[in-house]
Amino acid sequence: MTKLISLYAQIDDATLETMTSKGIVRRARTDAANVQFEAIGADEIVGKIEGATVRLDDMGLAKARCSCPAATTCRHRIAVVLALRTQGGEQPAAPAVEIDWPARLAAFDRKALQSAAGKTGLREAMRLFALADAVTVEPGQLSLKVVMRLKAEEIEVAIPGQGEFNAIASGLPERRRPAGHAAAVLAARRHFGQESIELDDADATAEPKEFAPDGPLLEAMQDSVRRAYAQGFAVPSRALEERLMLLAVSSRAEAMPRLSASLRRIAEGLEQRRLRNVNHDPVELLREIAFAHALLHALSQTKDDARLRRLAGTVRAEYEPIGDVDLVGLGAAMFETITGAVGVTGHFVEPATGRRFTATLARSTAHDTRFDPRDAYRTQAVWGHTLARLSSSTFRLSGAQASATGRLSLSQTSRAEQVALFKPSRDPIAAWAQDHSAPLAGLAHLSWPMLGDHLARAFAPSLDAPPLAAEPVVLLPSRIAPLVFDDLTQRLRWPLMDASGSWISLTLDHDDDGRGLGARRIAALEAALGDAGNKRPFAIVALARPEAGKLVLEPIALWGEAATLLDFPERAPAPGKDVVSRIMAGLRRTVAQFAPPPPADATVRQTSRLLQGGVDALIGVAEAGLHASAREHLLAPLAKTYQLASLGPLAQLFSRTAASNDNDTSAAALAAAQGLFTLQSFTSRLQVWT
C-alpha cells in the first residue's frame, strides 16, 4: 500500500461530511464500487468514475482535481477516496491511543498559522472567531469537528489528527479556506484552554527599509484584472473569482493592502453578477476594475519609494497609537447600508490639528435583535462613558489608537478623561472660520463659495490615497429658508444663505414606507424648526459626501440654545405613518420662497451625461465579449463626440480602444474607464447659487 493510499484512507466520514454533506457521502459510497484506477503511484493517484477523471496528490483532498465542472469538493472525489479505503483495507478503527488534541493544536502556533494563512488571513481568522456567536468542538476518532455559528452563516471545519495545515478540511470556497481554517484552529485552542494567539505588533507595524513590488505578482494580478473586464461582464466564472481572491490573500500581496482590498471587491462584484444578486452594480464593478488596473500600472512604473508606499498603502496594524488627544464632539448619526449593516457613528475633531475622528458602534446585519443602535448610543460604554455623552462633550482621550482614515479604536486601554459638556456659541465657532490659517478653518464655514472650494479639494481624486467617504463641516448661515419637500425626488431641501447672498441647499432623503432613517430625520428637523417659539439654530453640523456626480450636504446636528441631534432628538414625534404623513403634507404646502430655486446647470448636466454614456458603452463592449464590431459601434462615435466637446484626452483613449487589437483591448478600455471616472470626480462640486 503506497503512502498516498494510506494518506487518503485515514480520512474519516466526519471529515468527508464536513467538506460536502451526508447526502453526497452516502451517494458516493454507492459510486465507490464503480471507480476504476488508471494509476496509483507515489506522487499521484488517478481514478475515473462516470466519465470524470480525479487526480489526487499529497496536497490533500481539498486540492484534488476533477475534470467535472464542480467548483467545490464533488461526489467523484469523495467516491475515489472511499474506493481507496477498500484498496488499503477497511477504515481503521479508533486509534489505540486517544489523540492528544491540546498537543496537536499546540503545533499550530502564531508562526505556523501566519505562515499558512498569511498576516491578512490570520487577521481575518481573528475577526471571524471574534464574531462567532457560538462555537462547538467535538473530538472524533480521527478528526476534531469545529462549528462556528456567525450571524450570517455557519462554518464547519474538520481538523485531522495528523498532517499539516493544508490537511484541514471544510466546505468553504477555496479563497476563504485559509482564514476559515485558521479561525477554527483558534476556536479549538480556546476550547482546550490554550493561550490565545495575537498578531505580533512589531511584525504588524514594521515596514521594510525599501519597498519593492513583486514583479511577477503584479503581472499575475494585471492579467486577472484584465480578464475580469474581458470575461466578468459576459461570462462571469467562479474560477476567476477564486483566482482574484487567492491573489488578494497571498502573503506577497500583504505589502500592498490597497490593491489586495480592491481585488477582493472585484471578486465579490463578479460573484454578485454571476449569482444575479439584486445589489449588483455594474458601474461600481467597472469602477473597481479600472482602479485596480490603474493602481497596478502605477506600481509597476513608479520608481520613487515614497510614492510606491502611498500607492501600496501603509503596512501596519489597523490601529496605531496616537498618544493622548483632546477632542470635541460634533454629534452622531445612525447609518444603514444596502448589505444590511446598521450602526451609529460619533464625529469628533481635534482642535489643535483640525483632524477629524470617528467612533462607530455597529453590527453587520439589522436582523441582530440584540443590537439597537439607539440603545447602544445611550447605554453602551465607550472609553468609560456612553457615546451619547462623548458626542456632545469635550474630553481628553488617553492612550488613543486610530486608523489611517481617522477611525478610533474602542479598545478598553483607551480612556476618556476630563469630560465636560460642550456648549457651542456663535462667536467662538465663527472665529474658527474667520482665521484661515487656524487648524479648524476647514471645519467651520461662513462663505459658501469658500466651502465649495474646500470640499472640491477634499474630494479631489487621487490614485495615491484612498477616496474620502464623508467630510463633517459646520455651517454658519446668515439666513435660513423654510424646509421644502420635493414630491418628484422624495427629498427634503433646506436652503441656507451666507453673508454675501450665496445659497446652498442641505438635503435629506425620505423613504416611501416612512419607517427609515430619512423619515425620522425629517420629522426631527421639522419638530426643531417648526415650533414658532423655538429659536433657529446659529450653526448646522452636516456631512458632505459625493453622490451621483455632485456633492451633497446632509444635516446631522443643529447648534442653538441647545444642541439637537436629528437621529437622537430630545423631543420628536414618533415616526408613525399618520405623523409622518402630516409632516409631509405640511412641507408640501406652499411656503414663502425666501430662497431662489437652484438654477439648472446645463453645462455640468451635459458633461455628466456624456461621461455616463462612455461608462455605459464600455460596459456594453464588455458584455459583448470585446467584439470588434461592438467596439466600432459603441466607442468610435463617442470618441468623435468627446473631441467635439473639447475632451481631447478622453477622445484619444476611446479612439485607441476602438482601434485596438484583441490582446490590447482590455488594457485600453480600462484606461478609458479610469479617465471617465476621474473626470466624473472632478465634476462633483457643491452647487452654490445667488
Side-chain angles (χ1 to χ4, degrees), residues 218-235:
L218 292 182
E219 292 179 4
M221 289 179 171
Q222 192 77 278
D223 176 68
S224 295
V225 167
R226 291 174 181 174
R227 285 173 54 203
Y229 174 72
Q231 303 171 12
F233 287 91
V235 285

Side-chain angles (χ1 to χ4, degrees), residues 225 285-295 670-671 673-674 677:
V225 167
L285 176 58
L286 177 60
R287 187 192 306 274
E288 198 64 57
I289 296 174
F291 166 76
H293 184 265
L295 191 58
L670 291 175
Q674 183 66 9
F677 291 125

Side-chain angles (χ1 to χ4, degrees), residues 167-469:
I168 299 176
S170 74
L172 290 170
E174 186 175 358
R175 66 177 184 269
R176 297 187 58 199
R177 286 175 196 159
H181 293 181
V185 171
L186 295 177
R189 287 175 60 94
R190 173 71 64 84
H191 175 78
F192 286 101
Q194 294 188 334
E195 182 182 2
S196 61
I197 290 177
E198 301 290 343
L199 280 176
D200 189 332
D201 290 338
D203 281 347
T205 59
E207 295 184 10
K209 294 182 178 179
E210 184 176 349
F211 175 71
D214 188 320
L217 178 64
L218 292 182
E219 292 179 4
M221 289 179 171
Q222 192 77 278
D223 176 68
S224 295
V225 167
R226 291 174 181 174
R227 285 173 54 203
Y229 174 72
Q231 303 171 12
F233 287 91
V235 285
S237 68
R238 187 165 184 171
L240 181 55
E241 299 162 22
E242 299 287 352
R243 174 63 172 164
L244 285 163
M245 191 60 76
L246 289 174
L247 287 171
V249 301
S250 66
S251 58
R252 293 177 296 168
E254 289 176 351
M256 300 175 289
R258 292 182 67 207
L259 186 56
S260 176
S262 181
L263 295 183
R264 281 195 187 92
R265 289 191 291 267
I266 294 172
E268 292 165 359
L270 292 175
E271 182 180 41
Q272 284 185 337
R273 187 172 183 86
R274 177 174 57 84
L275 298 177
R276 294 181 174 86
N277 191 305
V278 68
N279 295 325
H280 171 64
D281 187 342
V283 174
E284 289 306 312
L285 176 58
L286 177 60
R287 187 192 306 274
E288 198 64 57
I289 296 174
F291 166 76
H293 184 265
L295 191 58
L296 282 163
H297 178 77
L299 283 166
S300 62
Q301 298 298 317
T302 303
K303 303 302 180 183
D304 178 70
D305 184 64
R307 183 166 190 247
L308 280 173
R309 290 179 184 275
R310 292 196 301 271
L311 291 168
T314 307
V315 184
R316 60 183 176 189
E318 182 179 357
Y319 297 104
E320 64 175 6
I322 59 173
D324 298 346
V325 293
D326 293 317
L327 299 175
V328 175
L330 300 176
M334 291 178 54
F335 66 85
E336 51 190 24
T337 69
I338 195 171
T339 58
V342 295
V344 56
T345 296
H347 295 270
F348 307 91
V349 64
E350 183 183 17
T353 62
R355 185 179 178 186
R356 279 70 148 182
F357 294 96
T358 60
T360 298
L361 301 172
R363 291 293 185 273
S364 60
T365 173
H367 298 297
D368 184 359
T369 56
R370 294 171 299 177
F371 178 78
D372 183 345
R374 288 184 171 83
D375 289 341
Y377 169 77
R378 295 187 174 95
T379 61
Q380 186 168 328
V382 177
W383 310 314
H385 301 267
T386 64
L387 195 57
R389 184 181 183 191
L390 296 176
S391 62
S392 58
S393 299
T394 62
F395 60 96
R396 167 164 290 185
L397 185 61
S398 62
Q401 301 178 66
S403 69
T405 58
R407 181 169 178 173
L408 292 166
S409 169
L410 304 184
S411 170
Q412 295 181 356
T413 59
S414 302
R415 300 295 295 178
E417 303 169 344
Q418 304 173 24
V419 181
L421 181 65
F422 176 53
K423 297 181 179 180
S425 56
R426 183 176 182 85
D427 290 343
I429 303 301
W432 294 356
Q434 290 167 345
D435 186 355
H436 302 310
S437 61
L440 296 177
L443 174 66
H445 297 272
L446 290 162
S447 168
W448 303 159
M450 294 181 65
L451 169 65
D453 292 340
H454 166 75
L455 294 179
R457 291 191 300 270
F459 290 98
S462 172
L463 197 62
D464 290 19
L468 188 64

